Amino acid sequence: MAFIKKLEYFFILAAFFALVYIIYNWTESRRFKQSPLSSITQEAINQRQNEVLALIRKHYGLDMDIPLIVSDRFSSQLYGLTQYKDSKIRIYLNKKRFRESEAYMLEEVIPHEYAHAVMLALNKSHSNDGHTALWQKICLELDGKQCERYVDNEEIIAQKMRF
């Protein structure tokens, strides 16, 4: 009987800690959603943006003033989006994805989206999904490391495991 009582206490304790863990994760997620990105992350975004804009000037002679907007209004599947609306180009980055892999967002997504912006600025035709051979060439010239059509989840995992 003593064993069963100890087992009951163990399960009650385990359930309590599981509940505390769930509440902690929920509050952390909510806090992340309601707070801006850290100043360190924002500075890294600005620095990367300036690097890519300098490469655009160097390779294409374009002096682009394209807003880079971090938003949490995207589906979790989307990393970034380049929008052409009302004769203006805007780039959106998914805030949720910075939580998952800041390095990937900086190294891959920013050049990826600016390559789309250059294509739009040069009036180059896009395929249905916008990832043509010319787009890939531009992306690589903007210091994109892989310039894949879609996200490389294995690369994200590899970056997280690097020390």
Side-chain angles (χ1 to χ4, degrees):
M1 196 65 151
F3 174 74
I4 294 191
K5 276 290 185 200
K6 286 181 182 179
L7 195 57
E8 285 178 358
Y9 287 133
F10 172 76
F11 282 115
I12 290 171
L13 193 60
F16 173 76
F17 282 118
L19 183 61
V20 167
Y21 182 72
I22 289 169
I23 291 170
Y24 171 77
N25 279 336
W26 178 77
T27 57
E28 282 297 306
S29 180
R30 185 178 168 126
R31 185 169 50 97
F32 178 80
K33 185 175 181 176
Q34 294 177 344
S35 302
L37 292 173
S38 74
S39 59
I40 294 170
T41 301
Q42 290 175 3
E43 181 58 34
I45 292 168
N46 290 338
Q47 181 179 345
R48 185 65 169 146
Q49 179 185 25
N50 290 335
E51 291 169 0
V52 172
L53 289 172
L55 289 169
I56 291 171
R57 280 190 295 278
K58 175 183 172 187
H59 292 290
Y60 298 96
L62 297 172
D63 193 18
M64 302 179 87
D65 182 25
I66 298 174
L68 192 61
I69 302 158
V70 178
S71 174
D72 64 354
R73 296 183 181 203
F74 292 108
S75 105
S76 294
Q77 311 265 318
L78 189 64
Y79 282 72
L81 171 73
T82 302
Q83 178 189 56
Y84 183 72
K85 184 177 178 183
D86 301 326
S87 301
K88 293 184 181 181
I89 301 170
R90 291 178 186 84
I91 296 176
Y92 294 90
L93 300 176
N94 190 340
K95 179 183 174 186
K96 298 170 201 164
R97 291 303 186 162
F98 276 94
R99 186 176 195 183
E100 177 183 306
S101 181
E102 181 178 319
Y104 189 83
M105 292 295 290
L106 295 170
E107 295 170 17
E108 298 292 336
V109 177
I110 291 176
H112 178 119
E113 296 306 329
Y114 269 106
H116 287 299
V118 169
M119 292 282 289
L120 289 167
L122 296 175
N123 291 318
K124 299 294 181 184
S125 65
H126 276 76
S127 64
N128 286 343
D129 68 0
H131 301 98
T132 63
L134 177 59
W135 168 85
Q136 188 173 38
K137 175 185 176 286
I138 293 169
C139 184
L140 290 168
E141 289 175 341
L142 300 183
D143 202 25
K145 304 298 181 229
Q146 297 177 9
C147 297
E148 300 283 331
R149 177 178 173 193
Y150 296 110
V151 173
D152 184 351
N153 288 322
E154 290 178 14
E155 178 62 22
I156 291 172
I157 292 168
Q159 285 179 354
K160 287 182 175 188
M161 296 182 73
R162 290 184 192 132
F163 293 99

